[in-house]
Amino acid sequence: MAGPEHSLYRQVILEHARQPRNAERVEPHSHVAEAVNALCGDEAEVTLRLENERIAAIGARVRGCVISQAAASLMTEAVRGLPLAQAARLGGVFRQAIEQGETGALPPELIPLAPLIEVRKHRSRIRCALLAWEAIETMAGETAPGG
Amino acid sequence: MSDNTENTSNAENPYRGDFPILAREINGHPLSYLDNAATTQKPRAVIDALVRFYEHHNANVHRGVHTLSEEASSLYEEARAKVAAFIGASAAEVIFTRGATESLNMVALGFARGLLRPGDEVLLTEMEHHSNLVPWQEAARETGAVTRFARITDSGTLELEDFAAQLNERTRLVALTHASNVLGTLNPVAELTAMAHKVGAVVVVDAAQTAPKGLVDVAALDCDFLAFSGHKMYGPTGIGVLYGKAALLERMTPAFTGGGMIAKVDKERASWGEVPRRFEPGTPPIAGAVALGAAVDYLQGVGPAELRRREAGLTAYALEALDAAEDVTVFGPPAGDHRTGVISFNLRGVHPHDVAEVLDETGVAVRAGHHCCQVLMQRLEVPGVVRASLGLYNSREDVERLLAGLNRVREVFGVSGVSGGEAARRGRA
Ligand SMILES: Cc1ncc(COP(=O)(O)O)c(C=O)c1O
């Protein structure tokens, strides 16, 4: 359709959903976690390998809608190279940005995810944008005592 | 197929004007409300009944001698009588609950747990709503009984031979839906009940999807318990019904206890009051019950035959159009007497939620997901489906707007409706 971009399904989101980055399972991996959206049954499985305490490889396999797939793809690109705890913190910042609808002060790693902030106008889709991040938070929570 | 021309446009639908909410615009478009299986909209008569109750008659029931309390009690009991007449029961067999879910849980807690012994079987079907599945699973777990599931065919009907084969002398309870909230399938409940009774099983029917169609006649179905919700039959939320045969209600234990349901209470114990009051502890949803009575009056005014005729015509029209689209897979039986106007489908290459999201932008309200039927989704091998479900205010215009909306979905996601691909309808060549 020629015309203005769709407000929620921006080209960049559609493109990530069509060709998700890092959509393969990481083998061998040091961490794995799943997240399920109980409302719709959509699932994300995230695997990653830490090397020198940083995310050296990450994979997100998603069975879900365009938003959950694109969000997972963008997430994998945003967190690669970061320590796990920092990745989880970034997820928290992203969650807050969606809940408060703020795109102004996004940290540089999250700027590519800015188009997803639009989901705040679609209550039922917020979980979709956060699904893969929940897996990261789970992993970080499991290893939290050590830092 | 234009036998019922009055179904053509919303302007010509004689009932649409009775529903104030349908005048709303959604995202700059008129509203095509196709989520009636989730909840229906309310006619002015029902809204007025709620307002009238609170403005003129509000008081607690069965407690006071003052005028208002007597009026409220009479209205509450009149509503019970209307509901009873609507389903072919006697008033003493109609218990007001908060909805179908509560009704089913009351039977699971107060009847099934006393009935089931280790090794006993509960027969369900693969098309049950979680509300008619999880309570039985829990009752079975508590008692050591096992749940079994009668299979469905690829076209979404119950496999009758399998149902028959799974019934045996250990089957103590059969719980099944009158009509599927996903497939639209109407189950031959009278026939199935007779089969279940032959092995001595008690039959519980989930009529949440058939009460709004005027399809429930408990005498004809001969089931032992039957549950439905007011809000799916043009009545308010927070009110529902449990029907039970008088003799079985006498045997049922109250799942909830408290004020209003007792005969006598002393420090050690209490004895129960009469049925149905025994199963309505605390202050019931009085205004809701009265307004449900108004919804029943409204449906009786339209008439069950007219309800079915309209819906059948429109369902056939919608199914024909969806079947014609090569990238649409419809789940459920073909048009005809054995289905309701609940139509579930998927559009190839697009997740159900993304379909529903874009349809909403065009003012078309449908629902997407597992519809509280995860066992059915596993059977269909899909994570979810898009569901368009018809109500009495829908017309061809709504179906056409759904079809146009699907074109918009194809545009947004860059999938085409004319490229080659698999068969359009499951289970049919
Ligand atoms: C077939 C069926 N059974 C049970 C229910 C539960 O109804 P309620 O949520 O009103 O208790 C529904 C509605 O969601 C339904 O469609």
Side-chain angles (χ1 to χ4, degrees), chain B residues 22 24 32 52 65 85 92 115 134-135 145 174 188 210-211 260 312 317 374:
Chain B
L22 298 178
R24 257 200 74 173
S32 280
R52 208 179 320 114
V65 293
L115 176 78
V134 183
V174 173
T210 48
Y317 178 69
Q374 290 187 341

Side-chain angles (χ1 to χ4, degrees), chain A residues 1 6 8-9 14 18 38-42 63-66 122 125, chain B residues 351 353-355 357-358 361 369-370 374 383-384 408 411-414:
Chain A
M1 163 117 175
H6 193 279
L8 180 60
Y9 300 108
L14 291 173
R18 230 169 262 143
L39 292 178
C40 59
D42 285 357
R63 196 192 68 178
C65 62
V66 161
H122 307 256
R125 309 305 295 279
Chain B
H351 187 282
H353 275 120
D354 295 321
V355 173
E357 185 83 57
V358 173
E361 281 160 25
H370 55 59
Q374 290 187 341
R408 174 75 184 131
E411 278 168 9
V412 168
F413 299 108

Side-chain angles (χ1 to χ4, degrees), chain A residues 23-90:
Chain A
E24 310 281 288
R25 203 156 204 266
V26 173
E27 296 292 1
H29 54 259
S30 56
H31 292 71
V32 58
E34 278 177 32
V36 179
N37 184 346
L39 292 178
C40 59
D42 285 357
E43 302 169 344
E45 181 217 59
V46 178
T47 44
L48 60 80
R49 185 168 63 246
L50 291 185
E51 285 172 14
N52 302 321
E53 312 259 301
R54 287 175 182 271
I55 299 172
I58 181 164
R61 295 198 302 179
V62 178
R63 196 192 68 178
C65 62
V66 161
I67 302 301
S68 61
Q69 301 215 32
S73 171
L74 286 157
M75 180 279 285
T76 61
E77 294 199 313
V79 303
R80 206 163 31 182
L82 299 179
L84 185 51
Q86 195 184 331
R89 271 199 298 280
L90 211 53

Side-chain angles (χ1 to χ4, degrees), chain B residues 37-38 99-102 104 129 131 177 179 181 206 208-209 229 231-232:
Chain B
T101 302
E102 184 175 275
L104 293 163
H129 187 281
S131 290
T177 194
N181 64 307
D206 175 354
Q209 294 296 338
S229 294
H231 70 94
K232 292 185 200 282

Side-chain angles (χ1 to χ4, degrees), chain A residues 102-124:
Chain A
E102 276 178 31
T103 48
L106 284 181
E109 298 94 327
L110 288 181
I111 287 179
L113 282 76
L116 287 166
I117 307 282
E118 177 75 15
V119 297
R120 76 176 202 282
K121 296 185 194 144
H122 307 256
R123 278 198 64 83
S124 63

